[in-house]
Amino acid sequence: MNKVLFIFIILVGVLISSCVPHKKIVYLQNKSAATDSIQMVKESPKPYRVQINDILNIRVKALDQKSVSIFNPIGEDVLSASGEERAYFDGFTVDVHGQIRVPALGKISVLGYTTEEIENMLEKKLLEQEFKETANIFVTVKLSGLRYTATGEIGSPGTQVVYQQRMNIYEAIANAGEIPTTGDKTDVQIIRQYPTGQKIHHLDLTDRNVMNSPYYYIQPNDMIYVKPIKQKTWGTGTTGRESLTAIFSVLSVVTTIILLINR
């Protein structure tokens, strides 16, 4: 009987350690010493700078729209094409040298510039080479969707494309199906590409101070990786009920074996 009691104590210990703590599930906890429930949280977004393989959507408008038709895509009337397909065929892809090729202007280096800076650059070149001030040209440059990949312990892993200027990490994860209980919210990895290569950044989504992180807002071509928690590899369940069911099943088998041996 002492053996059964000893095994039961061990299994109870496993039960306690196998359950996922509440603090590892809840987002945006106040982990600092401050107790003010309306504590101000600072955002620190930085303008995105164009990288190789980005696709730019460029539009040129003027009083005489026919005079700028050469700069604008012609595939917008193809209703069967998706937004991504139109962007691929009609957009301006940044090549390995960090350049795009614009009609009449030739190759222009855009690597490391913001979309606003590219707008000013193109407008200036068009006024210098193709138009006069009286043409009243207006240039807009946007990224052809914010593309990112979510993988690991997440609801719907895969590549996502959203058509908005910026998106924070919580929005990106919600768009990818949320992180289940078996995902580690305390150490979500952002794999981001830079001109010099890729870097890995870590975010604790259970801490509200994550909003102060320079990586709080995702960027095009980011990869979001969510690791599984240890409880998943143990296979004992993520909730107390699941773990208790598994442990009592094992305990029942062990008890039966001991009783059979002692007969």
Side-chain angles (χ1 to χ4, degrees):
M1 193 65 182
N2 290 335
K3 292 181 180 179
V4 176
L5 180 62
F6 177 72
I7 294 172
F8 179 77
I9 292 173
I10 292 176
L11 292 178
V12 169
V14 173
L15 168 65
I16 295 173
S17 63
S18 64
C19 295
V20 181
H22 184 259
K23 65 181 180 179
K24 287 191 174 182
I25 300 175
V26 179
Y27 288 126
L28 297 172
Q29 299 173 53
N30 187 359
K31 293 187 175 182
S32 63
T35 57
D36 186 359
S37 61
I38 56 172
Q39 179 182 1
M40 293 295 292
V41 181
K42 298 179 180 178
E43 297 181 353
S44 54
K46 292 184 179 180
Y48 176 70
R49 297 192 174 275
V50 171
Q51 302 287 336
I52 292 171
N53 293 327
D54 281 346
I55 301 177
L56 301 180
N57 187 310
I58 299 176
R59 297 290 186 275
V60 181
K61 296 182 180 180
L63 291 176
D64 180 9
Q65 196 59 28
K66 289 184 179 179
S67 65
V68 295
S69 59
I70 190 175
F71 301 102
N72 297 320
I74 60 174
E76 292 186 334
D77 296 330
V78 182
L79 299 179
S80 60
S82 66
E84 291 183 65
E85 290 171 339
R86 291 177 186 173
Y88 179 78
F89 290 108
D90 293 333
F92 295 83
T93 303
V94 183
D95 64 21
V96 293
H97 304 293
Q99 298 177 326
I100 57 174
R101 189 180 178 188
V102 181
L105 299 181
K107 291 188 175 181
I108 298 176
S109 180
V110 296
L111 183 64
Y113 289 94
T114 66
T115 54
E116 184 178 354
E117 290 170 342
I118 297 171
E119 286 175 353
N120 295 331
M121 184 193 309
L122 291 176
E123 192 168 307
K124 182 179 178 181
K125 286 181 176 294
L126 287 171
L127 288 174
E128 289 175 350
Q129 301 178 29
E130 299 295 325
F131 299 95
K132 296 180 181 180
E133 292 284 349
T134 53
N136 287 329
I137 64 170
F138 180 76
V139 180
T140 60
V141 177
K142 296 181 182 296
L143 290 169
S144 296
L146 198 166
R147 179 189 297 269
Y148 69 95
T149 300
T151 186
E153 201 69 11
I154 200 160
S156 301
T159 299
Q160 309 285 336
V161 180
V162 292
Y163 297 99
Q164 58 189 69
Q165 289 295 316
R166 67 176 187 174
M167 171 178 277
N168 65 47
I169 184 64
Y170 292 104
E171 293 173 314
I173 285 175
N175 194 53
E178 262 296 343
I179 300 176
T181 308
T182 51
D184 188 355
K185 297 182 177 74
T186 64
D187 186 20
V188 174
Q189 298 180 9
I190 304 290
I191 304 170
R192 180 165 295 176
Q193 69 174 26
Y194 296 92
T196 55
Q198 292 184 323
K199 293 182 180 179
I200 299 177
H201 307 290
H202 300 264
L203 295 177
D204 181 357
L205 301 188
T206 65
D207 188 348
R208 67 177 58 179
N209 286 322
V210 72
M211 291 184 178
N212 296 324
S213 170
Y215 316 110
Y216 177 64
Y217 287 96
I218 69 168
Q219 292 186 359
N221 306 313
D222 275 357
M223 178 177 288
I224 302 171
Y225 173 63
V226 182
K227 299 184 296 183
I229 56 175
K230 293 180 179 179
Q231 283 84 346
K232 181 175 182 179
T233 59
W234 294 343
T236 52
T238 56
T239 65
R241 178 179 295 180
E242 291 176 357
S243 298
L244 193 61
T245 300
I247 287 173
F248 273 120
S249 297
V250 174
L251 182 61
S252 176
V253 173
V254 171
T255 303
T256 301
I257 293 174
I258 292 175
L259 290 175
L260 290 173
I261 292 175
N262 291 335
R263 287 183 63 179

